[in-house]
Amino acid sequence: MKKQILFGILFLLFTNLLAQDKEGNDYFFGDNFHFHGNRTDLRMMHYSSLTFQISDKRIWTVFDSFDPENKFNADYGKITPKSKILLGIKLTPTLKNYFTAEVPNFSKFYYSYLIPDSSEATVVAMGINSSNIADYQYRMVLDDSLEIQKWSHIPGLEMKYGARKPYGKIGTFRFPGRKLLVEVAHKDSIWIRDGYIMDWTRRIKPPIEQIIVRGASTYGYYGLNLDSLRRTNHGIDSPTNSDIIKWTFEKDSVQEFDLCFAQHETRPYSIYLIKDIQNKRDTIRIAWWEIGNRFTVENKYLKDVGQYTLFIQQTGTFGEFSKDEMTQIDFKIVESLSTDVRNGYTPKQILPFALGMLTIVGLGFIAYRLRVRRNLKMVERDRKLLAIQMQGIRSQLNPHFMFNSINSIQNLIQKGDISAAKNYLQTFSSLTREVLEDSEKEMHSLSAELKLTRDYLIMEQLRFGFSYQIKQELDLHTDNVDIPVMFLQPFVENAVKHGVSNLLDRGSIAITVSNRDNDLILEVTDNGQGMKAGVEESATGYGIKLSKKRIALLNQLNPQNRIDMELLNDQPGTIVRITFVDWLN
């Protein structure tokens, strides 16, 4: 076994050497599979990720990489596979200058592979075998949006590349110009999952979404509008450079600036800065492997007066990319100008104008403030007047309700129905207590209103014998909706007195609570004789007239939440529909 492990390590080193050209610049994928694991250095207590290159002729040796008895493990710390799935990927051996990076996917990190020649990629799962293949599933997502393969059973098992036992066959893929996520997961444990992102998109100019500058300004930072910057600064006589960003600022006015890139998790960037200071030209690399979406050009690069050019390209050798594959930013740092030279005025000349402007602005602000305060007083006065009128209407409604109830009790006593009169009086007493308790409130919950209405109907039912029902079709709980106190009672009373009182036990009243979007809708329906044309006012009682006045006042107090009332002839019967517009928003 030790000889086999030693042979595997030597073979790995040999294939890595073949992956370099004579100058050592280019690199190739080689005849390998890539597997991934984690290493914990027990000496330094340091945790890191590892990539294993395993020969595609001896794929079974991947298990030796995680063998605790392996001397390599003993010397370099505890090495474990990235997941139980033991996912591996193989690209074309001659693939040149591919890239790989870890991309976050919720709680996991998946390795991405940039495949510049649009060749195919093969994915296997060495941790899946005949005993557990039914426990796993896989899916494929194209361009981070289109699920071209929903979660499905693993395609099958195979035994290639020198394998000694069958392993999970995931597939061979090729999507030129697109990105593909292949994800494998355990059906019962969301934590056991792994995947690869394969990127066949072509090399393009790195797009910059915005530039955020920190330095001397009102707020300490500001963003450069790239479109306006191009319109203002690009050279008219050089149309080929019309998309080059040009920018000039004074020394010490900019502390640093951020380049904000579009998402490029599978394609790392290199950033180079060419400085031309006092006729001395220098090229420095300020970033080699930038995978984040924001990069800060630090203050140490912005201290000297001179001409600068910033190049952003895909990670690689500087100079081998065409202009269409590089983003260029030219900026010039000039000497700071004094206030006098920059504005053309001295402070003594500016002071009188500044004092005059301050005086005009101050007087204007005082006048505006006085006007606003006057308007607020008028609005508050009108509001108090409307509130007084509202209290007046409620003070008429309550005695009206009590007067009608006492009349009903008197009628029962005159008929000799003492038992009904006692029950009526008992219910009336409870109802009166509820009305008095809410007398100081303007609003209460819809559930409290429906209880008050139900008590009133129970009381009147003793006298007339009609039936009733209250339907609740509201999406919200009635405890969470407020309406004006004793709002429904006058309409229900009108339905009893003018609708079903003559029908006795044939009478029927229905109250429906519902909503349409954010509108609250209350309906009171009776099966009485209805209204004749042109006699709507005479068919309604005193309580309805007061309620109409109350609705008009409520609409003045709260114009943003209007209340509409409709009186409909149902023939036979009458429907009163009250709509509280946008009441539930």
Side-chain angles (χ1 to χ4, degrees):
M1 177 62 73
K2 293 182 179 180
K3 291 182 179 180
Q4 291 173 339
I5 294 172
L6 181 59
F7 177 82
I9 295 173
L10 290 175
F11 186 84
L12 175 61
L13 294 174
F14 180 69
T15 54
N16 283 340
L17 289 173
L18 288 179
Q20 304 285 331
D21 66 359
K22 292 181 179 180
E23 290 75 28
N25 294 322
D26 293 329
Y27 52 94
F28 301 88
F29 193 86
D31 297 315
N32 305 307
F33 272 90
H34 279 195
F35 291 90
H36 305 279
N38 303 309
R39 180 172 75 91
T40 303
D41 190 331
L42 301 178
R43 297 166 299 176
M44 304 298 293
M45 294 306 294
H46 174 68
Y47 178 84
S48 60
S49 57
L50 293 175
T51 298
F52 297 91
Q53 294 189 31
I54 303 298
S55 167
D56 62 4
K57 306 297 189 299
R58 300 169 60 83
I59 195 171
W60 62 270
T61 59
V62 67
F63 296 106
D64 294 336
S65 304
F66 307 109
D67 186 353
E69 296 182 1
N70 188 335
K71 188 176 185 302
F72 182 79
N73 272 342
D75 292 343
Y76 292 94
K78 181 181 179 182
I79 299 178
T80 57
K82 184 169 177 282
S83 78
K84 293 182 179 180
I85 302 170
L86 201 53
L87 216 57
I89 186 170
K90 173 179 171 58
L91 306 181
T92 300
T94 57
L95 177 61
K96 177 181 176 181
N97 297 339
Y98 66 92
F99 291 116
T100 181
E102 286 185 294
V103 179
N105 184 285
F106 294 101
S107 61
K108 298 289 186 180
F109 282 87
Y110 292 166
Y111 277 88
S112 66
Y113 280 84
L114 183 62
I115 308 174
D117 67 349
S118 297
S119 56
E120 64 184 20
T122 298
V123 179
V124 299
M126 297 298 290
I128 296 177
N129 51 52
S130 57
S131 65
N132 63 10
I133 187 171
D135 298 331
Y136 289 92
Q137 57 186 349
Y138 87 111
R139 69 166 181 164
M140 296 190 295
V141 180
L142 198 60
D143 294 332
D144 198 27
S145 59
L146 178 62
E147 192 175 37
I148 60 174
Q149 174 68 58
K150 296 184 180 298
W151 286 109
S152 307
H153 298 295
I154 302 299
L157 298 173
E158 66 178 8
M159 196 164 66
K160 298 170 59 177
Y161 309 110
R164 294 182 173 180
K165 293 180 180 179
Y167 55 83
K169 173 187 176 182
I170 306 302
T172 297
F173 311 98
R174 182 175 178 269
F175 289 87
R178 313 290 290 273
K179 292 181 183 179
L180 178 69
L181 165 65
V182 175
E183 194 171 12
V184 181
H186 194 282
K187 293 179 180 179
D188 299 324
S189 176
I190 193 172
W191 299 109
I192 303 177
R193 74 178 193 275
D194 201 356
Y196 281 121
I197 299 172
M198 290 153 277
D199 185 352
W200 288 276
T201 57
R202 66 182 182 86
R203 192 164 61 193
I204 61 172
K205 182 195 299 289
I208 296 180
E209 295 185 337
Q210 68 170 331
I211 298 177
I212 300 175
V213 184
R214 283 182 286 278
S217 70
T218 304
Y219 300 102
Y221 73 97
Y222 56 94
L224 294 182
N225 183 302
L226 301 189
D227 290 335
S228 63
L229 198 65
R230 290 170 185 160
R231 288 196 299 270
T232 304
N233 293 319
H234 79 264
I236 299 175
D237 58 343
S238 180
T240 57
N241 292 333
S242 61
D243 61 344
I244 295 176
I245 300 171
K246 295 180 180 291
W247 178 27
T248 299
F249 55 87
E250 296 178 14
K251 182 181 179 182
D252 299 326
S253 66
V254 172
Q255 299 302 318
E256 61 185 17
F257 60 88
D258 292 344
L259 305 175
C260 300
F261 304 113
Q263 192 76 17
H264 64 107
E265 68 279 354
T266 62
R267 193 179 299 270
Y269 292 159
S270 292
I271 303 176
Y272 294 87
L273 180 66
I274 299 178
K275 301 191 297 183
D276 194 344
I277 301 173
Q278 296 179 350
N279 295 323
K280 182 180 178 182
R281 191 177 181 87
D282 188 19
T283 301
I284 57 176
R285 187 180 71 198
I286 60 177
W288 167 246
W289 191 275
E290 183 58 41
I291 204 70
N293 294 336
R294 177 176 291 201
F295 178 79
T296 300
V297 179
E298 299 174 353
N299 179 256
K300 62 183 179 181
Y301 302 115
L302 309 173
K303 290 183 176 180
D304 300 318
V305 172
Q307 183 70 46
Y308 297 77
T309 302
L310 201 65
F311 289 100
I312 302 100
Q313 63 173 47
Q314 180 180 300
T315 293
T317 303
F318 184 56
E320 70 173 14
F321 294 81
S322 66
K323 289 185 177 180
D324 293 336
E325 298 171 339
M326 302 174 68
T327 296
Q328 179 177 339
I329 301 175
D330 290 340
F331 60 93
K332 186 177 183 180
I333 303 177
V334 298
E335 291 287 356
S336 299
L337 301 176
S338 66
T339 304
D340 297 349
V341 175
R342 184 163 48 245
N343 297 331
Y345 298 98
T346 65
K348 289 183 179 180
Q349 292 173 319
I350 294 174
L351 185 59
F353 293 102
L355 291 175
M357 288 299 297
L358 287 173
T359 302
I360 293 172
V361 171
L363 291 174
F365 176 75
I366 292 172
Y368 171 76
R369 185 174 178 82
L370 290 174
R371 183 179 178 183
V372 169
R373 291 179 66 182
R374 184 171 63 251
N375 290 340
L376 288 174
K377 287 182 179 179
M378 293 176 64
V379 170
E380 184 62 24
R381 183 192 63 193
D382 294 342
R383 187 174 183 86
K384 287 181 179 179
L385 181 60
L386 290 173
I388 291 171
Q389 295 178 22
M390 185 75 68
Q391 289 178 355
I393 289 176
R394 288 187 58 196
S395 67
Q396 296 177 65
L397 277 172
N398 290 349
H400 170 73
F401 153 69
M402 294 193 180
F403 174 77
N404 287 339
S405 299
I406 292 172
N407 272 347
S408 297
I409 297 171
Q410 184 179 4
N411 288 335
L412 287 172
I413 293 174
Q414 288 174 351
K415 290 178 182 179
D417 193 348
I418 303 302
S419 176
K422 287 182 179 179
N423 290 336
Y424 195 106
L425 187 59
Q426 184 178 1
T427 306
F428 173 67
S429 173
S430 173
L431 188 60
T432 303
R433 187 181 300 107
E434 293 179 30
V435 172
L436 291 175
E437 286 177 354
D438 288 342
S439 62
E440 298 299 322
K441 300 178 183 177
E442 183 57 41
M443 308 282 287
H444 68 170
S445 68
L446 180 56
S447 60
E449 182 73 13
L450 291 177
K451 182 180 184 304
L452 188 148
T453 303
R454 185 181 290 105
D455 290 344
Y456 174 75
L457 286 170
I458 291 172
M459 185 173 67
E460 294 290 48
Q461 191 181 43
L462 292 171
R463 181 183 174 195
F464 297 110
F466 60 86
S467 62
Y468 73 89
Q469 60 176 330
I470 299 176
K471 305 178 196 174
Q472 209 288 86
E473 300 174 357
L474 192 64
D475 291 342
L476 301 175
H477 195 283
T478 53
D479 284 344
N480 299 327
V481 181
D482 288 345
I483 66 169
V485 172
M486 276 198 77
F487 193 87
L488 267 177
Q489 195 276 334
F491 301 105
V492 176
E493 180 181 333
N494 191 74
V496 172
K497 295 294 192 299
H498 300 280
V500 302
S501 59
N502 294 328
L503 298 177
L504 300 179
D505 59 353
R506 291 180 290 108
S508 175
I509 295 177
I511 299 170
T512 305
V513 181
S514 62
N515 66 286
R516 181 177 58 244
D517 297 329
N518 288 327
D519 296 349
L520 173 65
I521 301 173
L522 306 179
E523 285 188 354
V524 180
T525 305
D526 66 72
N527 66 341
Q529 63 181 356
M531 300 177 296
K532 296 181 181 179
V535 293
E536 176 185 324
E537 289 298 322
S538 63
T540 58
Y542 181 65
I544 297 294
K545 294 180 178 65
L546 290 176
S547 293
K548 286 183 176 180
K549 292 182 181 179
R550 186 184 186 190
I551 289 173
L553 290 175
L554 285 169
N555 287 340
Q556 290 184 58
L557 281 169
N558 301 291
Q560 70 276 12
N561 295 117
R562 191 179 72 257
I563 302 175
D564 295 333
M565 190 191 88
E566 300 174 86
L567 198 58
L568 306 175
N569 200 348
D570 203 22
Q571 291 299 334
T574 304
I575 300 175
V576 179
R577 181 179 297 128
I578 304 108
T579 303
F580 295 77
V581 179
D582 206 25
W583 199 264
L584 305 178
N585 189 12

